[in-house]
Amino acid sequence: MNIVWLQISSLIYMTILLILYYSSKRIVTTETKIFKGIMLANEIGLLIDLSCFYTVSHAKTMPILAAISTRLLLVYYLVYVSLFTIYLFFVVRTNSMQKEKRHKMMKMFLAFVGVAIFIACILPMKYHNSDGAIYSYGISVDFMYYVYSLIIVMWVICIILNFKRIIKKKLLPIIILVVLGTIVGIIQKSYPELLLMTAADTIVTFIMYFTIENPDVKLIQELNIARDRADKANDAKTEFLSSMSHEIRTPLNAIDGFSQLILEEDNINTIKDEAKDIMAASKNLLEIVNGILDISKIEANKLEIVNVEYEPAKIFDEVGKLAKSRIGSKPVMFKEHIAPDLPDYLDGDYTRVKQITLNLLTNAVKYTKDGYVDYSVRCVKQDDVCRLIIMVKDTGIGIKTENIDKLFNKFERFDKENNITIEGTGLGLAITKKLVDLMGGKIIADSRYGVGSIFAVVIDQKIVNKVKQHEVVEKENRTTFDFARVLVVDDNKINLKVASKLLDLYHIKADLVESGFECIEKIKSGTIYNLILMDDMMPQMSGTETFKKLKEIDNFNVPVIALTANAISGMKEKYLNEGFNDYISKPIDKKELERVLNTYLN
């Protein structure tokens, strides 16, 4: 009886510890759930240990109870070390392990423990009760020690393989616990009458509670992590706003500056050159706005892929021309190879394919001061699927090894001190990665700092079996539209002026109205129009609502084109589904306008 006080005091202490633990506010994680199991197991183990002391001391009068309680104690030992093993595994190993592999290893370990428990329960056991020493021994107990030793070896291997991670995570107490468990196991095996193991488990649990699993400490850690994340998010937001201010103001400064110069300039050639610079700055500004819109849709998880039929060779050729034009006067050679065996037609989101390719090429051109940019598109065809392989190589500044993993993070720009003159928001690659993922593809990046980079994108697209029609290019004569009368509906006077000036190039008479109500009145008054260009985002009555009311007018059959700044992906399809005959996004592209005029006025 002189030994039992250790179990009794441990039981009282563990009960108090459980009450404190459950009465405290806790962070719920996998590790805390396992630790809760460890505490409960230890409480139950102490109760079983005390019952063993009593039943074994009366084994002659209650042999069945003695057999049950002693085997339950063996089960407890194996359950406790198993829970500790799982805890150790989750804390130091599984963060770097794939979920499927982790589950497979857990299942194998639990199956091993289950078999060990079954064997320990069926093997024979004997009892010793003399000279005040009471304990069980035999093959069953020896087998339990062998399994216990094997699991400790697993602990040691796990710690050796993950020593740096343990130190980094400040989980050094785990090493102390492993050493303590090993020492107590050896002592218990050598001197079974001491009955130290359950009490030692309590000490182990006590150390864990007051070092790495204290609820208050965990809460403080979580608060510190949340604060650090908030600080980083705030810094990122500040840096993003600063970057956006610079990126947006740069093209705006060019637009404003050249516009003022045009007002003061008399030389027509100079005016044309400055107008080209304004157009280039406008396109740059439009790309920035589109990037912000895309990243906003990514954040809201509303970025969609809209599949339509398209000609891949034409798309990739257009992208190459755009990228090449951005090289400017830099001594950079632009190499291009578009596979001649590309299918004539594919089914997919060509705007996103174009965006992905252009983002990669824009980055390559932007960060390459000399050397070359190599742009290639290859394909692998199988049945009705075409696997596009888009590769962009460059001899640019490259990326440091430690930054490769951050390439696709939002707002990340590397080596900014050396690249301060290079424009960029840090959104391009983040958007590209998201688009590739949405399309079920893969993107691979490889880079050497100071040498260059390689980006490869693999996307599967459906092949459309359709005979390609040879295009007949006819020289268009703008004067052929001088018979036409077009109604332009837009609530913005500047937009009306721009549309009027563009239509004037084609000798078209344009009537301008500032609301859907005025548009309806014009049609009801009997004025005959060949075409209506309708803005959608107008106050009081939107373009879509106006269009619905127009269709209610008897004998109304004028083609209506959606002309809107609502230009995010999928909008063209949306307006066509609403019944509009066609779609032009703002700012108005002259080629698109010409296409619409040729389609509906010829």
Side-chain angles (χ1 to χ4, degrees), residues 170-376:
K170 300 179 181 179
L171 296 176
L172 198 58
I174 287 178
I175 298 174
I176 299 171
L177 306 184
V178 171
V179 173
L180 181 62
T182 305
I183 293 171
V184 169
I186 293 170
I187 293 172
Q188 182 77 66
K189 174 64 177 171
S190 304
Y191 303 97
E193 69 275 8
L194 293 179
L195 305 177
L196 294 176
M197 287 187 69
T198 50
D201 291 343
T202 303
I203 295 171
V204 166
T205 309
F206 162 81
I207 294 173
M208 290 179 72
Y209 181 89
F210 284 104
T211 53
I212 57 179
E213 285 299 336
N214 188 294
D216 295 333
V217 173
K218 284 274 186 182
L219 280 171
I220 292 169
Q221 288 175 347
E222 288 295 320
L223 288 171
N224 288 335
I225 291 170
R227 185 190 64 190
D228 290 342
R229 285 176 180 169
D231 289 342
K232 286 179 181 178
N234 191 51
D235 291 343
K237 186 178 92 171
T238 302
E239 189 173 339
F240 173 66
L241 290 174
S242 175
S243 176
M244 279 296 98
S245 176
H246 168 74
E247 296 300 325
I248 291 172
R249 285 174 183 274
T250 299
L252 276 177
N253 181 59
I255 293 167
D256 182 67
F258 284 122
S259 298
Q260 291 182 55
L261 290 172
I262 284 174
L263 291 173
E264 302 293 331
E265 185 60 60
D266 294 325
N267 188 304
I268 189 65
N269 292 326
T270 305
I271 290 172
K272 285 182 177 181
D273 288 339
E274 288 169 351
K276 289 177 182 178
D277 290 329
I278 290 173
M279 288 178 66
S282 299
K283 287 180 180 178
N284 185 18
L285 183 60
L286 186 61
E287 286 177 11
I288 293 168
V289 171
N290 286 337
I292 296 169
L293 288 173
D294 280 339
I295 210 69
S296 298
K297 289 180 78 69
I298 288 172
E299 293 290 335
N301 202 27
K302 290 183 179 179
L303 196 64
E304 296 177 352
I305 298 299
V306 181
N307 293 330
V308 294
E309 187 181 295
Y310 70 97
E311 298 178 53
K314 185 182 289 187
I315 293 298
F316 292 122
D317 183 56
E318 286 176 6
V319 172
K321 287 177 181 176
L322 282 170
K324 191 174 182 179
S325 67
R326 294 183 180 186
I327 292 176
S329 60
K330 291 195 294 185
V332 176
M333 182 188 299
F334 189 81
K335 303 177 183 179
E336 180 178 335
H337 175 72
I338 310 298
D341 60 337
L342 278 174
D344 291 335
Y345 295 95
L346 293 176
D347 183 70
D349 193 333
Y350 75 91
T351 58
R352 296 309 186 184
V353 172
K354 188 174 181 180
Q355 186 178 358
I356 287 166
T357 311
L358 189 57
N359 279 351
L360 296 182
L361 282 169
T362 300
N363 265 10
V365 169
K366 190 188 298 182
Y367 292 103
T368 303
K369 296 176 182 177
D370 52 49
Y372 68 84
V373 171
D374 191 337
Y375 163 49
S376 67

Side-chain angles (χ1 to χ4, degrees), residues 513-569:
V513 295
E514 296 181 23
S515 70
F517 299 106
E518 291 181 60
C519 169
I520 293 167
E521 286 177 9
K522 283 280 188 182
I523 299 299
K524 285 184 176 180
S525 70
T527 308
I528 304 299
Y529 293 103
N530 302 96
L531 190 67
I532 298 176
L533 301 180
M534 178 81 70
D535 182 29
D536 184 36
M537 303 174 79
M538 297 185 293
Q540 296 182 327
M541 186 188 296
S542 69
T544 303
E545 292 170 337
T546 305
F547 179 57
K548 288 178 181 177
K549 291 188 180 295
L550 287 174
K551 289 194 292 184
E552 294 172 2
I553 299 173
D554 292 337
N555 300 320
F556 176 79
N557 60 359
V558 183
V560 182
I561 312 301
L563 176 62
T564 176
N566 190 3
I568 58 177
S569 177

Side-chain angles (χ1 to χ4, degrees), residues 17 79 137 143 178 284 303 341 359 427 446 487 506 516 568 571:
L17 207 62
V79 167
Y137 66 99
F143 176 77
V178 171
N284 185 18
L303 196 64
D341 60 337
N359 279 351
L427 295 176
D446 187 31
L487 178 63
Y506 302 92
I568 58 177
M571 285 301 104

Side-chain angles (χ1 to χ4, degrees), residues 488 490 492-505 510 512 533 563 586-590 593:
V488 185
D490 199 313
N492 187 291
K493 289 182 180 180
I494 293 177
N495 287 340
L496 287 173
K497 187 175 181 180
V498 170
S500 176
K501 290 286 185 182
L502 287 171
L503 291 171
D504 193 48
L505 294 174
L512 312 176
L533 301 180
L563 176 62
K586 294 177 185 175
I588 301 171
D589 182 85
K590 198 168 69 173
L593 178 62

